[in-house]
Amino acid sequence: MPVLAGQVLTAGQFNRMQPVVNEATGSSNLALTTTEADVAGATVTLTTGTANARYVVTGTFVFDITSATTALAEGILHVDGVQASGNARWSGEVTTDFGTAAQQWSGILASAGSHTLKLRGVMSTGTGIQILGAFTRIIVTIYEVP
């Protein structure tokens, strides 16, 4: 909703006009398998005051090979239990390989209220890759309108 010329804003409307940043860091490592799983601690739960708030998320994942593999690892975002489009992807091969992969997502939170955004991980086949929790981070910026 646009602000009209001469309109008197309430304190609540004014407060919603500024971006709000929420962030979290993983709390433990996640050994990846072919079953998608949460990165412990890399979850943000927030409350929006209006419908159609926009979110912008940066997810940074640090992957580490624990045993030789040619599999791909993926970092995923879920918004209110639904996977967002686009994943961070990474691959290595030997146990000395590790690296960072990042992805950005944006979208709309259709309803006002509580929302949960979380990072998850999975690998294409087998085992042998982990996500290092202490170096994995989610940053969520919310933009609301009056």
Side-chain angles (χ1 to χ4, degrees):
M1 164 186 4
V3 177
L4 304 174
Q7 178 180 349
V8 176
L9 294 176
T10 66
Q13 290 172 315
F14 186 72
N15 287 336
R16 286 190 299 272
M17 292 176 78
Q18 61 186 342
V20 177
V21 177
N22 302 269
E23 52 194 293
T25 300
S27 57
S28 62
N29 295 347
L30 172 63
L32 296 178
T33 67
T34 57
T35 302
E36 193 178 305
D38 294 352
V39 177
T43 298
V44 169
T45 299
L46 54 90
T47 301
T48 58
T50 60
N52 299 317
R54 174 165 291 282
Y55 67 85
V56 177
V57 174
T58 299
T60 305
F61 301 83
V62 174
F63 297 99
D64 181 38
I65 300 248
T66 57
S67 62
T69 182
T70 57
L72 295 172
E74 293 188 281
I76 300 164
L77 173 70
H78 274 233
V79 179
D80 293 335
V82 177
Q83 183 174 339
S85 178
N87 297 341
R89 295 186 84 186
W90 181 85
S91 70
E93 193 170 297
V94 297
T95 56
T96 56
D97 290 344
F98 74 95
T100 302
Q103 181 62 284
Q104 292 183 311
W105 298 269
S106 65
I108 300 293
L109 300 171
S111 63
S114 180
H115 301 280
T116 300
L117 297 92
K118 67 171 81 174
L119 298 182
R120 295 172 58 88
V122 69
M123 62 187 291
S124 60
T125 185
T127 59
I129 302 175
Q130 67 179 340
I131 292 177
L132 300 177
F135 306 103
T136 296
R137 188 160 181 76
I138 181 172
I139 301 173
V140 180
T141 305
I142 300 294
Y143 301 90
E144 294 190 64
V145 293

